[in-house]
Amino acid sequence: MDIVSAKYQNTAYQTGEPVITISKLKKQFGKNKVLDEFDLTLHKGESIVVLGRSGAGKSVLIKCVIGLMQADSGIIDVLGKDITTFNHHELDKMRMRVGFLFQSNALYDSMTIRENLEFPMRRHLTNISAKESEERIIEALTNVGLAHTVDMMPAELSGGMQKRIALARTLILKPEIILYDEPTTGLDPITGKEISTLIVEIQEKYQTSSIIISHDMKCVKTTADRVAVLLNGKCHAIDTYDMLEKSEDTLVKQFFE
Amino acid sequence: MKIPGPGEEFLNETGAIARFTGSFVRETVSPRYEIKEFIRQCYLIGYKSLPLIGLTGFIMGLVLTMQLRPTMISYGVEAKLPAMVSLSIVREIGPVISALIFAGKIGSSIGAQLGSMRVTEQIDAMDVSGTNPMKFLVVTRVLAATLMLPILSILSDTISLYGSFLGVNIRSHMSVHLFINQVFSILNFTDILPSIIKTFFFGFAIGIVGCYKGYYSKNGTEGVGHSANSAVVLSSVIVFILDLLAVQITDLLGYN
């Protein structure tokens, strides 16, 4: 890491325990080294935005963290356990505590919004009653301001609404960590701002920790406690938005210009 | 030894389908079982395909009877027309035509559906939600296709025979009773059973190829179209190959 600063926007995170520790993570596709000894630590209650150019490996990074991709080597410690050694059953248990918001929303288009939200519960929360399940669905939808869409199909909703529903589905299991894959991509600036604000509100309400992949600088500024710059497979710089904005590093500067 | 390009691609694809089939078998026998989704797929794959397969069966029986009639008359065996048509339909044409229609409708639908779910990350979302997509999407569809095609084929054969009955009665008169007698005078257990058994294999092949092509779809929407198309082409070819094998086996067993 070329730039490291101990100054955080929210100093409480300095003392927060690490919830995700990534060390010396390597992932390559053929001869293309996407992640090359990448290191990152996310603290409890903290929100880190990973910034990088298209194809830099940002999405690959969080897909390795959730176990959708297998890292070539390195350690990914999530909530105290190295997930690189996990089998499918252990990954399932971990995924109950870690939510993932997909770039394309990934709503099941053959199901209603209610069924979309019920889907994660059918496996993870098998012992809850129908009433409790309904309450959770309404609570999650209310959090994103879309309780009235419960019986609609995803195709009937706008892109921004679909993003909110996807976020509600992520929240349904009340995860401790949420991984966001480009949450504002493809949205107009106003909707993008609404989604960024919603991410901050959710983090404050549920005290979640987040890794957010983005190259939308407005979203980065709104949501980040710290920003990690991913370059050439490594964490080139990590600091608060304000500090990185003032950075003299030419590679970092190009993101903020 | 270096295998030439197309040969290597063919072997890689065959190996990948074999591995995929292995995963299907593993996921089918291990709990948890997605009974509700399986029943839903049986409804979608079976019941929803019935009108198309029934219609093609009816037309097939009618046309085959009308086409065969002049030839049968020229040989002086017009009375054997129901027996001839029923034997052709039950032993060969019915199961194969039903399987090809099924491949066109269900194989492409499964390929496109899973392909679209793959490129829009819905399959990954399912995995993250703690639901095994192989179990929920693949096992249910392949089992439903395997079980529904034999039923559809039997129904199609029955409707074909009804079409044949109408075909016979367009130019002459034959009672239902006589028609049925004629049909079952020639059809026996060794004609019906092998044709039903082979439709299980046809259904399985169509299901597994459709799921494989869709599950590993890539290159966005273009890839989805390619998955649907190649699912139909490959499963149709496999249906013919399986049919050829089935004929050889029944021949070896002395059922032909």
Side-chain angles (χ1 to χ4, degrees):
Chain A
M1 277 176 273
D2 299 328
I3 302 168
V4 180
S5 168
K7 189 181 172 191
Y8 295 80
Q9 275 184 324
N10 184 343
T11 51
Y13 305 142
Q14 282 179 294
T15 51
E17 61 184 282
V19 285
I20 293 180
T21 308
I22 300 168
S23 44
K24 298 197 183 305
L25 184 66
K26 283 188 179 182
K27 177 75 186 172
Q28 67 181 68
F29 298 98
K31 288 180 181 171
N32 181 21
K33 281 187 183 177
V34 175
L35 297 172
D36 187 15
E37 302 214 335
F38 183 88
D39 298 307
L40 185 75
T41 302
L42 175 74
H43 297 91
K44 192 173 170 60
E46 184 185 21
S47 173
I48 291 181
V49 173
V50 179
L51 199 58
R53 297 181 64 178
S54 296
K58 306 182 297 293
S59 296
V60 171
L61 170 70
I62 54 170
K63 283 184 177 173
C64 285
V65 172
I66 199 75
L68 282 174
M69 281 184 181
Q70 187 81 43
D72 295 336
S73 66
I75 293 169
I76 306 171
D77 191 304
V78 179
L79 298 162
K81 286 178 181 167
D82 180 12
I83 68 127
T84 55
T85 57
F86 274 10
N87 59 29
H88 206 276
H89 177 67
E90 289 167 321
L91 274 176
D92 274 354
K93 279 174 72 179
M94 180 272 287
R95 285 166 179 167
M96 196 180 163
R97 302 170 70 188
V98 183
F100 194 103
L101 183 76
F102 287 86
Q103 184 180 351
S104 59
N105 306 327
L107 295 175
Y108 309 123
D109 44 22
S110 60
M111 300 181 192
T112 63
I113 301 303
R114 174 182 276 109
E115 288 165 339
N116 263 280
L117 269 69
E118 272 172 353
F119 205 84
M121 290 194 284
R122 63 192 283 281
R123 180 62 192 263
H124 289 301
L125 303 173
T126 47
N127 52 355
I128 67 166
S129 65
K131 190 179 168 227
E132 217 176 322
S133 160
E134 184 68 13
E135 280 170 5
R136 272 195 182 230
I137 290 168
I138 298 301
E139 185 195 341
L141 287 174
T142 307
N143 279 329
V144 298
L146 290 172
H148 63 284
T149 63
V150 68
D151 290 316
M152 292 169 85
M153 298 299 284
E156 295 175 71
L157 306 176
S158 68
M161 288 163 97
Q162 287 187 17
K163 189 67 79 180
R164 285 164 177 266
I165 298 294
L167 190 50
R169 187 177 64 183
T170 308
L171 286 174
I172 201 97
L173 295 176
K174 300 190 172 152
E176 294 160 53
I177 301 167
I178 302 181
L179 309 173
Y180 298 87
D181 191 2
E182 303 199 15
T184 57
T185 298
L187 302 176
D188 64 84
I190 299 165
T191 313
K193 193 179 171 190
E194 285 172 4
I195 295 293
S196 303
T197 310
L198 191 59
I199 290 171
V200 175
E201 284 170 7
I202 281 165
Q203 186 167 4
E204 282 170 4
K205 185 169 179 183
Y206 292 100
Q207 289 299 302
T208 54
S209 316
S210 319
I211 296 180
I212 302 163
I213 303 300
S214 185
H215 33 206
D216 170 3
M217 295 312 286
K218 283 181 183 167
C219 171
V220 176
K221 192 169 187 179
T222 310
T223 56
D225 293 322
R226 286 194 297 165
V227 180
V229 180
L230 172 57
L231 276 173
N232 303 320
K234 295 182 195 301
C235 185
H236 179 75
I238 181 163
D239 208 325
T240 61
Y241 183 92
D242 293 338
M243 292 299 285
L244 286 183
E245 199 177 22
K246 292 175 205 155
S247 170
E248 291 302 315
D249 187 308
T250 50
L251 293 171
V252 174
K253 266 171 97 173
Q254 62 186 353
F255 288 100
F256 292 85
E257 279 168 359
Chain B
M1 191 180 74
K2 175 77 180 152
I3 301 165
E8 189 182 359
E9 199 178 311
F10 171 76
L11 290 177
N12 282 340
E13 183 88 340
T14 308
I17 294 177
R19 278 197 301 277
F20 188 74
T21 308
S23 304
F24 161 80
V25 173
R26 261 198 316 279
E27 297 298 343
T28 303
V29 294
S30 66
R32 111 188 205 156
Y33 306 109
E34 301 285 356
I35 307 289
K36 199 175 157 192
E37 179 62 12
F38 167 67
I39 293 167
R40 197 176 82 89
Q41 288 302 327
C42 283
Y43 170 76
L44 293 174
I45 289 174
Y47 182 72
K48 293 261 179 171
S49 305
L50 184 58
L52 182 64
I53 288 184
L55 178 69
T56 49
F58 175 78
I59 294 170
M60 192 170 64
L62 183 68
V63 169
L64 191 63
T65 307
M66 291 171 75
Q67 295 272 20
L68 273 176
R69 189 185 165 85
T71 314
M72 301 293 277
I73 289 173
S74 69
Y75 283 103
V77 284
E78 191 191 353
K80 292 287 178 190
L81 188 57
M84 180 76 182
V85 171
S86 63
L87 201 61
S88 311
I89 286 173
V90 171
R91 283 179 70 151
E92 187 58 39
I93 302 171
V96 173
I97 297 287
S98 299
L100 292 177
I101 300 286
F102 194 76
K105 186 177 188 298
I106 300 302
S108 64
S109 151
I110 292 176
Q113 199 181 14
L114 296 197
S116 150
M117 289 184 80
R118 169 62 72 197
V119 299
T120 57
E121 299 181 304
Q122 290 178 52
I123 293 181
D124 286 342
M126 212 166 260
D127 214 352
V128 169
S129 298
T131 296
N132 184 339
M134 190 76 190
K135 224 177 244 303
F136 189 82
L137 298 172
V138 176
V139 171
T140 53
R141 281 167 175 76
V142 175
L143 286 183
T146 309
L147 290 178
M148 288 300 108
L149 183 57
I151 295 171
L152 287 168
S153 180
I154 292 168
L155 290 170
S156 167
D157 287 356
T158 312
I159 296 167
S160 278
L161 292 179
Y162 179 67
S164 173
F165 170 72
L166 291 183
V168 168
N169 278 281
I170 287 173
R171 293 286 176 86
S172 61
H173 177 73
M174 185 180 276
S175 69
V176 179
H177 186 72
L178 181 59
F179 182 86
I180 291 171
N181 269 346
Q182 281 276 341
V183 168
F184 285 99
S185 68
I186 194 153
L187 277 183
N188 58 46
F189 185 70
T190 56
D191 296 314
I192 297 169
L193 190 67
S195 82
I196 293 174
I197 291 172
K198 71 182 174 186
T199 53
F200 279 99
F201 289 95
F202 293 166
F204 177 77
I206 293 164
I208 208 90
V209 169
C211 286
Y212 167 77
K213 290 289 181 185
Y215 202 80
Y216 293 112
S217 184
K218 49 191 169 192
N219 301 334
T221 46
E222 191 191 341
V224 176
H226 177 73
S227 299
N229 183 275
S230 54
V232 177
V233 174
L234 184 58
S235 54
S236 301
V237 171
I238 292 176
V239 164
F240 282 116
I241 293 170
L242 288 175
D243 192 46
L244 181 68
L245 288 174
V247 170
Q248 297 298 321
I249 292 167
T250 48
D251 198 36
L252 280 173
L253 295 172
Y255 291 156
N256 283 344

